[in-house]
Amino acid sequence: MKRRNDRVVSAAYRPEPAAVAAARKFVRETLQGWLDTRPAPPDTELVDDAVLLTSELVTNAVVHAGTQVQVTCKLAASAVEVVVRDSHPARMVPGPARDESIPAERTNGRGLLLPSALASAWGVSYGAEAKAVWFRMGLAGQKTGLTEPVGDPDAAESAVPAAAWNVRAASPAVAQPPAVPGYDDLLRQAVGSARVIVAGDAAYALVADEDGDLSVRAATGISPAALLRTAPSVATVPFIVDGRVTGVLAVAAVLPGRFGDSDVQRLQQLADSMAAALERARLAGLERARRARIDVLAEASELLAGPLDADRILAVAGQVAVPRLAEWCAVLAAGPDAELSVLAARHADERQSAALNWLLERAKASAPWPPPGRPGGAASPGAAQPDAAQPRAAQRWPLAGPGPAGLAGPPAGLAGAPAGLAGAPAGLAGIPAGLAGAPAGVAELAARGAWCFPLATPGGVSGLLVLGGPHTGRPSREVLSLAEDLAGRIALALENARLAAQQQAAGQALRAVLLPAELPRVPGVELAVAHDLPGAGAAAAAGGDFCDVFPAGPGRWRFAVGEVCGTGPATLAVTSLARNTLRILAADGLGIPAVLDRLNQLILDERAPGTFLTLVHGEITEPGPDGEVRLSLACAGQPLPLVQPVSGAGPEPVAAPQPVLGVIDGLSFTAQPAQLSAGDLLLCVTDGVTRRRDGNRLLDDDDGLARLLAGCAGLTADVVASKVHEEVRGFGGRPAADGMAVLVLRAES
């Protein structure tokens, strides 16, 4: 039924699929007839856009409201307006999402994306018995002057009182404009509209990807991935922008001969009306993606710079790759038995994390490992491998095939199909074998597959960086290139972290070598040591300061505080030589001068250029009846040992300086006697203490060490060692560049 009142025309339709085609025809004929009477040339694009929007709004009303639908057209001097009413005001119409896309799981609200993209203004109004969705399009060269949606004043049964209007979106000049729909949203709209326009059973869009290759990006209907290959009826039309084809829009039906020339013509009109908007959205999306990726490698380099542990590196991998390169990523590492383990996984949607971890744990046995180009066998982090043999190319991982838990891929015929398709024919639906009881989303992740990038370094291939969730079967060439580079950086960072961990372990082992495992119990004497290695790595500490106390015979004990000058394995060898020689020669009964003579010659025989030893070596004799602790000691190149009397008098050195060991051949050394009364302290240190620097000042300037020891009179040996250690660490306010060893002896009261 149609009612005319000057330039306002309405038509009412039953809530059935045929209403969509009838409404399109009504709007096209009405607007075309009106515009043909204007002196200006007919605005064909405006009519096409209005017909497309009417199709969307009437479809939504038929599907969601299920009541009679009224379509009203109005032509004013400046604009065309179309209103679609239904009698279900309780069903609210959601506005378009404020972000750039609508979640894939949401099935409503998509019809309003097109009005927000094509109309100059649009809105939703609610009354007591009806609601209306309207849009307005300005005529060429005219300013929009309409301010309210219109209606047929004689159509009382469907009119909405003016006071009841609740305009959700009005002119952009007076209201916040709705967000521009994203490319995928518009593409889904195009596919859905195509299926509705010709009443097809399935529809899909074949569009250019980032590399310019055509691939399926959107589909709807009855199992389109399977149906479109064998459908008896298929109609296709191109998307054309500036004379070039940017994609293909297709529909299919299960009945032969379903589509005629008029259907193809309507599809082409739809494609023509949306091609430009789609291409703009596609290019805008590519530009946003590329801008997001432009700093991927720079950010990775910054985050991976410096010392990092493996956990931090894996966190950085997910932070950099997701979502700019992929929807999800994971790092798989190979163990000694060539089996892969999942070190880390991250999904852009945290709700999918459980599904991703579940899938990876069950599919890892089918990962492409070892990578091609790598001569046989499993990854071996320490094995040498020529750079030419290092695999660089990415590999497709379907995430399908039986795994340890019997995981299987998507059902036959659905590989690559979009998720969430309903109404699949028999034999194409159901849960794949091995997915029963899996978290939600596993099937979709498995169907979309992933790409693997070897974590390769000059020392071998240690694992895989996995990127998943591309829209098509293959990431773009830009993403592949960035991912390969990122994988190389992650592999290098993991290798550096592994080496740093080895160095730390070696440093801890070295600390055990440089310190006595346990101080012996010396009657009448308290013993305490403090020790620091330089820096954080074993390489820096390889020639570090050492300290040792050990028995030398009945009633006698020897002590040594020394430092081998140099770095590297040769220095560590001299350190071990010195400690073992001191113990062996003491056990043989040699006195301190003879021990130093022999040790000097042994170091010279090692022929380690630039390596020498500074040492304080002494002997403790068990106290006699008078309680005095008698000492004999020699100082070769180290700071002179100091004795602090319990009386509080100033500390005094108790040995004469002598040359360092391992530089001059044929040296003879001497030892000086000393004694400690009850409560007296003996302090022996390496030059890492006295040479601790604060700007241009050293800790021992102006007898700084003696003044520090003078404040320790009356303290126990443990307290003195700790106090000296803390004072040295705090002097200068920065980590020490040199190690130190501290030995404190105190005669018991």
Side-chain angles (χ1 to χ4, degrees), residues 6 22 43 144 211 308 323 352 409 425 503 517-518 522 530 535 565 587 622 671 681 692 697 703 705 718 727:
D6 195 13
D43 193 341
T144 302
D211 295 327
L308 294 173
Q352 297 294 321
Q503 287 184 335
E518 184 177 355
V522 178
C565 180
E622 185 174 356
L681 294 167
R692 179 73 163 124
R697 188 166 64 93
D703 295 325
L705 182 62
D718 285 334
E727 287 288 338

Side-chain angles (χ1 to χ4, degrees), residues 179-205:
V180 177
Y183 179 57
D184 288 324
D185 296 313
L186 286 176
L187 203 58
R188 284 191 290 265
Q189 277 295 317
V191 169
S193 298
R195 183 186 171 202
V196 170
I197 286 173
V198 297
D201 296 315
Y204 74 99

Side-chain angles (χ1 to χ4, degrees), residues 115-132:
S116 67
L118 301 179
S120 59
W122 65 277
V124 183
S125 304
Y126 298 91
E129 299 178 354
K131 73 171 178 293

Side-chain angles (χ1 to χ4, degrees), residues 401-542:
L407 177 66
L414 283 184
L421 302 176
L428 292 179
I431 300 176
L435 293 186
V442 168
E444 179 182 354
L445 290 173
R448 300 181 77 171
W451 283 80
C452 300
F453 303 83
L455 298 177
T457 65
V461 182
S462 59
L464 298 171
L465 172 67
V466 184
L467 299 183
H471 287 293
T472 60
R474 179 183 179 88
S476 68
R477 286 187 284 271
E478 181 182 45
V479 170
L480 286 174
S481 176
L482 289 173
E484 287 176 358
D485 202 326
L486 178 62
R489 294 169 193 246
I490 293 172
L492 184 59
L494 287 172
E495 179 69 5
N496 290 338
R498 183 183 67 83
L499 294 175
Q502 287 183 344
Q503 287 184 335
Q504 184 176 10
Q508 293 173 348
L510 178 62
R511 182 183 292 273
V513 171
L514 299 179
L515 285 175
E518 184 177 355
L519 291 175
R521 177 72 179 95
V522 178
V525 177
E526 293 179 9
L527 297 173
V529 298
H531 186 264
D532 257 354
L533 295 178

Side-chain angles (χ1 to χ4, degrees), residues 91-437:
R91 182 177 290 277
M92 302 292 287
V93 178
R98 287 294 174 187
D99 58 2
E100 294 184 349
S101 63
I102 287 181
E105 65 268 16
R106 196 174 121 186
T107 59
N108 59 353
R110 299 188 185 277
L112 297 186
L113 290 170
L114 283 180
S116 67
L118 301 179
S120 59
W122 65 277
V124 183
S125 304
Y126 298 91
E129 299 178 354
K131 73 171 178 293
V133 183
W134 57 272
F135 63 86
R136 184 179 305 129
M137 294 180 170
L139 298 176
Q142 301 292 327
K143 293 183 178 180
T144 302
L146 298 177
T147 58
E148 295 181 357
V150 301
D152 184 352
D154 297 329
E157 71 275 10
S158 61
V160 179
W165 290 107
N166 174 18
V167 180
R168 171 150 328 158
S171 169
V174 296
Q176 179 70 26
V180 177
Y183 179 57
D184 288 324
D185 296 313
L186 286 176
L187 203 58
R188 284 191 290 265
Q189 277 295 317
V191 169
S193 298
R195 183 186 171 202
V196 170
I197 286 173
V198 297
D201 296 315
Y204 74 99
L206 190 70
V207 294
D209 61 18
E210 191 170 336
D211 295 327
D213 302 324
L214 294 180
S215 58
V216 175
R217 183 72 176 259
T220 186
I222 302 177
S223 300
L227 178 61
L228 291 173
R229 290 196 292 267
T230 59
S233 299
V234 176
T236 61
V237 295
F239 292 111
I240 301 176
V241 178
D242 296 332
R244 61 186 177 85
V245 176
T246 60
V248 174
L249 182 63
V251 292
V254 296
L255 297 177
R258 175 66 182 79
F259 306 118
D261 292 342
S262 61
D263 295 314
V264 175
Q265 184 179 4
R266 287 194 293 271
L267 281 177
Q268 188 63 65
Q269 291 173 347
L270 173 64
D272 291 344
S273 67
M274 297 199 67
L278 282 169
E279 184 66 2
R280 285 194 300 270
R282 185 182 76 87
L283 295 177
L286 290 179
E287 180 65 18
R288 286 193 300 270
R290 284 171 176 159
R291 286 184 179 181
R293 297 176 197 149
I294 197 169
D295 293 330
V296 163
L297 297 183
E299 181 179 341
S301 297
E302 180 179 352
L303 293 175
L304 295 174
L308 294 173
D309 58 23
D311 290 340
R312 174 62 177 162
I313 293 169
L314 297 175
V316 167
Q319 176 181 340
V320 171
V322 179
R324 289 176 289 183
L325 298 185
E327 188 176 87
W328 60 266
C329 81
V331 177
L332 277 60
D337 54 0
E339 290 188 2
L340 291 172
S341 60
V342 180
L343 295 185
R346 178 175 180 176
H347 198 289
D349 184 353
E350 292 185 358
R351 295 171 297 180
Q352 297 294 321
S353 297
L356 178 59
N357 288 316
W358 191 94
L359 176 63
L360 290 172
E361 286 296 336
R362 287 157 179 78
K364 63 187 179 184
S366 63
W369 184 265
R374 182 170 173 271
S380 178
Q385 184 178 6
D387 288 345
Q390 297 293 351
R392 294 286 293 166
Q395 296 174 260
R396 171 85 174 155
W397 185 14
L399 290 172
L407 177 66
L414 283 184
L421 302 176
L428 292 179
I431 300 176
L435 293 186

Side-chain angles (χ1 to χ4, degrees), residues 568-604:
T571 305
L572 183 58
V574 173
T575 304
S576 179
L577 170 69
R579 293 191 71 231
N580 292 329
T581 299
L582 290 171
R583 285 177 170 258
I584 292 171
L585 297 182
D588 287 343
L590 273 69
I592 291 176
V595 168
L596 297 186
D597 293 347
R598 295 281 297 273
L599 183 55
N600 179 59
Q601 191 59 47
L602 287 173
I603 296 174
L604 288 169

